[in-house]
Amino acid sequence: MPSELTVHDAIDPDVDIRAPEQRRELSRSHGAILAVISLGGGIGALARYTLAQLWPTAPGGFPWATFAANVLGCFLIGVLMVAITEIRPAHPLLRPFLGVGVLGGFTTFSTYADDTRALLTPETVPTAIAYLALTLLCALAATATAVALTRRAHRITRRRQVTP
């Protein structure tokens, strides 16, 4: 077995380690994948922590820093996925590093859920509902917008390269 991943290597997230034929899949450079995910996750989490420190949430207030991190992270994942799956193949460790690591560490479902739970008091229920709904809607819209804009930018760039 090669010790280095190639662009064509598929990594099955549903490996059953009890099945010997599936366990072999884990022997292929998964250490490198885990290392880049860990490094990227640390970078993303540090960026989110910094954002939260710079933009603190008042008690009972709308958690703007977490909202911004989740919406921006979703936008960036939309750009990344189009760039590495449709525009240009990337190194096999780029997607785990940026997508799972950096952007996975930057975005946060757990803080979103905890912020929502904390806002579920009689005086802040409307804020909780707004935060819950707006995060979901804006994150989905950001992803869809990023995909569309990235594809469009790529088409325009390709046309300009072809046209003298």
Side-chain angles (χ1 to χ4, degrees), residues 67-86:
F67 175 81
N70 285 332
V71 173
L72 176 60
C74 286
F75 183 88
L76 294 173
I77 197 76
V79 171
L80 175 69
M81 294 312 294
V82 170
I84 66 174
T85 61
E86 298 177 21

Side-chain angles (χ1 to χ4, degrees), residues 116 119-131:
T116 303
L119 288 168
L120 290 175
T121 63
E123 50 282 339
T124 58
V125 165
T127 304
I129 293 169
Y131 176 58

Side-chain angles (χ1 to χ4, degrees), residues 11-138:
I11 299 167
D12 184 359
D14 300 318
V15 173
D16 182 356
I17 61 171
R18 295 169 295 198
E21 66 278 359
Q22 290 186 24
R23 197 176 318 125
R24 273 185 241 118
E25 185 174 335
L26 293 176
S27 66
R28 293 185 295 162
S29 299
H30 281 65
I33 294 169
L34 292 175
V36 299
I37 290 172
S38 297
L39 177 64
I43 292 168
L46 182 60
R48 179 170 37 90
Y49 175 79
T50 302
L51 181 62
Q53 295 303 302
L54 294 172
W55 199 356
T57 301
F62 193 92
W64 287 107
T66 304
F67 175 81
N70 285 332
V71 173
L72 176 60
C74 286
F75 183 88
L76 294 173
I77 197 76
V79 171
L80 175 69
M81 294 312 294
V82 170
I84 66 174
T85 61
E86 298 177 21
I87 297 174
R88 182 174 170 203
H91 187 279
L93 295 177
L94 186 64
R95 181 176 174 179
F97 174 70
L98 290 176
V100 179
V102 175
L103 295 175
F106 185 65
T107 59
T108 172
F109 183 77
S110 59
T111 303
Y112 165 63
D114 191 54
D115 287 345
T116 303
R117 183 207 47 79
L119 288 168
L120 290 175
T121 63
E123 50 282 339
T124 58
V125 165
T127 304
I129 293 169
Y131 176 58
L132 187 69
L134 283 174
T135 298
L136 177 63
L137 293 172
C138 291

Side-chain angles (χ1 to χ4, degrees), residues 7 56 65 67 90 99 139 157:
V7 174
F67 175 81
T157 302

